[in-house]
Amino acid sequence: MKQSIKIGRDNSNDIVINEARVSRSHAIVTNLGNGNFEVKDLGSSNGTFVNGTKITILSIRQGDRIQVANCEVNWFEAFVKAQSNDVSMINEEAFSKIKKTISIGTSAHNDIVIESNFVSSQHAKISLLQNGNYYIQDCGSSNGTFINGTKVVAKNFTKTDVVKIATSNLPLNWFQNKKLKTNFFQDNKKTIIISFILLVLIISSTISYINSCKWFQWKCNISAQKVYSQNKNAIVYIEHYYFYTIKFHDTRYYIGRNKTFGIVEANTSKDNLFPYDTITGSGCLIKNDGSILTSSLLIYPWLNISDAKALLNKVVESKTIPNFNLNEKLTICGETFELKFILNGMIFNQQNFIQATAVNNCKVSDSSNVIIKSVKKELPPNSSIINYSFNSESINPLNQTKKYYYSYINAIKNNEIISDTFIAALDTFNINRNISISLNKSLPKLKEGSTVFNERGELVGWVQKNKTHYIHTIFNQIKKIKPPSYANSFYW
């Protein structure tokens, strides 16, 4: 049990009495043990009384009545509650969402006003919860808030629990306060109005979407021939001649083919080497500055791990790197010798090729750069750009077709016209849920970077490593024409 209880008007006391005749520090009751207590007046202005007799200091026991000035104090109950509070001070979170709240205290601004010297002006607040129960919070009162005799800071409770505000009981009909009563339409007025507006908009949008082609000639499915006609002047054929590079023992070696014998060898200078290999593919113009969307494998062929393994075996056989050992740390990369493209419909000869550039990359990443640029920084004559767009809505228009068209460049011979065509395939996929999907088995072998369109002629993605990669995975890269940051270096 607590050793002493201070009584007075000041908030620092254990029992606070908001009465002008009570001194700030009026009296103190001390527990002497064995059921004996002592009450002492602290020099108050209007005196301390025990059983009606004014005292200065006096021994008392349970049942004796203490009065400070004109206020009687339930001093023994204060000792008991203090002991209980030391053991369990309850502070819970609300078990459900708070719907409505009322305030309790002596101030006239409260929803429930309790006239008592022991109740604070802003004493507590009670909230109605969404689950139908209630939640009480003490507002830092002087003499506490109690549920079933236990002092609480915050607690969930029901109408059958006994609630005390300091020493006062709540009114019997406290839960009938108009601010706690529920009215479905009043309580949810804003939500109902917003829901109605949204419902009207959804119905209107759905009707418009269903009839968009009929009414507005918008998002209509078109034939493969028309898709080709709309996009043929944006399709390009790409050639990339490149060296491998190996950094070993702090020395950089170029891997190419000996100009005399054509065999693979390493050299610290590329002057005596032809490019290691050539990779060809396709792409499409997407910006007026000559930017082209294509496969990252076409831009960075040296990042193909299976090809790199074969390369290393050839370097070992060539014995052109001193003390070369696959068990030691080495870095594999590459360097472009020549990167160029030619527009679909042009005659295939070197005069019609246009030089291109790309940011060099020696790192493996699923988000590697897929953009190359014309060195002229403009569109070739008689060319156009692809129509592309993307949004992440669940009913993304790019998903709303069942047939997809893949660009396909036929075998090319010198001085012949480059002939591109579109091959159709039935597919059902959601581009919002996937990064890529394996190519339809009915398709022939497609070149790296081949473009994929839906039935409305909208760009859906491109072919990379025998998969269709979707446009949304690199949409920001296309808009900015800036390669992203990359992952760890490709070490062997």
Side-chain angles (χ1 to χ4, degrees):
M1 186 175 287
K2 192 175 176 71
Q3 293 303 306
S4 62
I5 295 289
K6 291 182 180 180
I7 306 167
R9 197 174 72 250
D10 191 84
N11 286 334
S12 63
N13 291 286
D14 299 297
I15 298 178
V16 180
I17 304 175
N18 297 315
E19 166 60 47
R21 296 188 64 192
V22 176
S23 298
R24 297 177 65 83
S25 295
H26 198 107
I28 185 170
V29 181
T30 303
N31 180 10
L32 301 177
N34 297 321
N36 296 313
F37 298 85
E38 180 184 81
V39 60
K40 179 181 179 181
D41 186 85
L42 297 177
S44 66
S45 300
N46 295 303
T48 301
F49 302 83
V50 174
N51 300 325
T53 302
K54 188 174 183 180
I55 59 95
T56 300
I57 186 169
L58 184 68
S59 293
I60 59 173
R61 295 182 66 85
Q62 182 183 358
D64 288 326
R65 292 169 39 245
I66 295 178
Q67 185 177 336
V68 291
N70 60 338
C71 299
E72 187 167 328
V73 179
N74 192 342
W75 62 274
F76 188 78
E77 183 180 344
F79 271 106
V80 175
K81 286 183 177 178
Q83 182 184 29
S84 173
N85 295 337
D86 289 341
V87 176
S88 58
M89 179 71 79
I90 298 176
N91 187 3
E92 297 178 342
E93 295 289 334
F95 290 165
S96 183
K97 185 178 179 181
I98 292 175
K99 293 179 65 177
K100 300 185 176 187
T101 300
I102 60 172
S103 59
I104 305 165
T106 58
S107 171
H109 298 294
N110 290 292
D111 301 299
I112 295 179
V113 178
I114 298 177
E115 296 180 358
S116 169
N117 293 328
F118 299 96
V119 176
S120 301
S121 59
Q122 302 291 331
H123 196 105
K125 55 185 180 180
I126 293 178
S127 301
L128 172 64
L129 301 181
Q130 202 164 35
N131 64 7
N133 290 331
Y134 297 89
Y135 182 62
I136 192 166
Q137 295 170 278
D138 187 88
C139 297
S141 66
S142 300
N143 294 313
T145 302
F146 303 84
I147 300 287
N148 301 324
T150 301
K151 190 173 183 180
V152 301
V153 175
K155 180 169 172 55
N156 297 272
F157 72 105
T158 65
K159 288 187 286 187
T160 60
D161 289 315
V162 177
V163 181
K164 274 200 171 186
I165 306 300
T167 58
S168 302
N169 291 321
L170 276 179
L172 292 175
N173 62 344
W174 63 266
F175 51 85
Q176 294 180 344
N177 187 285
K178 63 180 182 180
K179 284 193 176 181
L180 290 180
K181 288 185 176 180
T182 58
N183 183 306
F184 178 79
F185 292 103
Q186 287 295 326
D187 294 347
N188 299 281
K189 185 176 180 180
K190 185 176 180 180
T191 302
I192 292 171
I193 293 174
I194 292 174
S195 298
F196 177 75
I197 293 173
L198 288 175
L199 180 62
V200 171
L201 288 174
I202 290 171
I203 293 173
S204 301
S205 299
T206 302
I207 293 173
S208 297
Y209 181 81
I210 292 172
N211 295 280
S212 58
C213 181
K214 181 179 179 181
W215 292 352
F216 313 116
Q217 294 299 304
W218 178 52
K219 296 181 180 176
C220 299
N221 293 346
I222 56 180
S223 65
Q225 183 60 39
K226 191 166 184 180
V227 173
Y228 172 72
S229 176
Q230 287 180 353
N231 297 287
K232 64 180 181 179
N233 294 330
I235 304 299
V236 299
Y237 172 80
I238 302 170
E239 287 187 353
H240 187 184
Y241 298 81
Y242 63 95
F243 295 99
Y244 272 98
T245 63
I246 294 179
K247 187 176 181 182
F248 182 72
H249 287 179
D250 295 324
T251 302
R252 188 183 189 213
Y253 296 91
Y254 293 92
I255 314 300
R257 297 186 181 275
N258 184 284
K259 286 187 175 181
T260 303
F261 303 105
I263 60 174
V264 172
E265 68 175 40
N267 200 307
T268 55
S269 172
K270 56 188 174 184
D271 294 340
N272 297 320
L273 297 174
F274 285 127
Y276 175 80
D277 204 355
T278 306
I279 186 170
T280 64
S282 181
C284 60
L285 291 159
I286 56 170
K287 288 281 186 178
N288 290 325
D289 63 358
S291 295
I292 297 169
L293 169 66
T294 186
S295 165
S296 63
L297 184 62
L298 198 57
I299 306 174
Y300 310 117
W302 47 82
L303 297 183
N304 188 317
I305 294 176
S306 59
D307 288 351
K309 289 180 179 180
L311 164 83
L312 289 172
N313 290 329
K314 292 178 181 179
V315 172
V316 171
E317 291 173 5
S318 74
K319 298 180 180 181
T320 50
I321 297 181
N323 303 315
F324 189 61
N325 188 340
L326 295 181
N327 294 321
E328 296 188 46
K329 183 179 178 180
L330 55 90
T331 305
I332 299 178
C333 191
E335 185 175 298
T336 294
F337 174 76
E338 187 177 32
L339 178 62
K340 56 187 179 180
F341 68 95
I342 186 172
L343 195 65
N344 178 46
M346 298 289 290
I347 295 175
F348 187 80
N349 59 49
Q350 295 305 311
Q351 289 76 17
N352 288 329
F353 272 93
I354 299 171
Q355 298 296 313
T357 61
V359 177
N360 197 28
N361 181 27
C362 296
K363 301 175 183 179
V364 176
S365 172
D366 289 336
S367 57
S368 293
N369 183 31
V370 291
I371 306 296
I372 66 173
K373 258 187 182 180
S374 166
V375 295
K376 295 182 178 181
K377 297 182 180 179
E378 62 183 12
L379 290 176
N382 304 315
S383 67
S384 60
I385 61 174
I386 292 291
N387 169 36
Y388 66 90
S389 63
F390 174 76
N391 67 67
S392 58
E393 297 173 5
S394 59
I395 53 171
N396 192 310
L398 297 185
N399 291 316
Q400 304 305 308
T401 63
K402 294 182 179 180
K403 188 180 290 185
Y404 295 87
Y405 302 118
Y406 298 77
S407 64
Y408 178 74
I409 293 182
N410 298 317
I412 302 172
K413 295 180 181 179
N414 281 329
N415 298 317
E416 288 188 357
I417 294 176
I418 298 176
S419 176
D420 180 78
T421 186
F422 280 177
I423 298 175
L426 294 175
D427 266 318
T428 300
F429 46 73
N430 188 330
I431 70 172
N432 296 314
R433 295 179 183 173
N434 301 291
I435 295 174
S436 62
I437 190 171
S438 297
L439 287 176
N440 192 302
K441 293 181 179 179
S442 66
L443 293 167
K445 178 68 175 177
L446 299 174
K447 285 190 174 293
E448 288 289 321
S450 295
T451 44
V452 185
F453 297 85
N454 63 16
E455 286 181 288
R456 291 185 296 275
E458 298 164 330
L459 182 65
V460 173
W462 73 101
V463 173
Q464 182 170 300
K465 297 181 182 178
N466 294 317
K467 289 185 176 182
T468 297
H469 286 250
Y470 301 135
I471 189 72
H472 73 282
T473 60
I474 46 86
F475 189 62
N476 288 333
Q477 185 186 148
I478 291 177
K479 289 197 296 184
K480 298 176 183 177
I481 308 300
K482 179 181 179 182
S485 58
Y486 299 101
N488 296 327
S489 295
F490 177 20
Y491 292 115
W492 196 268

